[in-house]
Amino acid sequence: FGQYLNYYDIYNMILDVDDDLMESLAFQNRLYDLFKKNDVKEAAKFLKKLITDLNDCDIPEMQHFAGTLSIWKKERHRASIIKS
């Protein structure tokens, strides 16, 4: 590249290669935010919105991940019913 690149520069150059990478990273950050939620009801709403947005996404892998999260959500719900 003819210039000094630090990790941050390289990271941003990689993300600039494809818009799908940026969108995937945004979904990843939202997933991290989900796990930071302390309120179960708020987390459930957040997860529902995340799954909807992933399904509406044009990236097939993200749509597939929405299906995985939906299954996980149902399993978590069943586990909480059994636990209580």
Side-chain angles (χ1 to χ4, degrees), residues 39-53:
D39 182 352
V40 175
K41 289 183 180 182
E42 182 183 337
K45 288 180 193 176
F46 190 88
L47 179 59
K48 184 177 180 180
K49 174 73 171 136
L50 180 62
I51 291 170
T52 300
D53 292 347

Side-chain angles (χ1 to χ4, degrees), residues 73-84:
K73 178 183 169 189
K74 290 174 190 171
E75 289 174 357
R76 284 292 293 152
H77 180 70
R78 278 190 226 129
S80 67
I81 290 171
I82 292 170
K83 203 186 248 188
S84 53

Side-chain angles (χ1 to χ4, degrees), residues 12-41:
N12 285 319
M13 288 175 73
I14 291 170
L15 289 176
D16 287 341
V17 168
D18 188 2
D19 290 338
D20 287 355
L21 290 174
M22 288 292 282
E23 190 169 2
S24 298
L25 181 65
F27 280 121
Q28 178 187 18
N29 291 333
R30 288 177 61 194
L31 186 61
Y32 289 157
D33 291 342
L34 170 66
F35 291 111
K36 294 177 187 175
K37 301 283 184 201
N38 292 326
D39 182 352
V40 175
K41 289 183 180 182

Side-chain angles (χ1 to χ4, degrees), residues 1-15:
F1 295 103
Q3 61 184 0
Y4 172 78
L5 299 171
N6 62 28
Y7 173 79
Y8 182 77
D9 296 329
I10 295 168
Y11 178 80
N12 285 319
M13 288 175 73
I14 291 170
L15 289 176

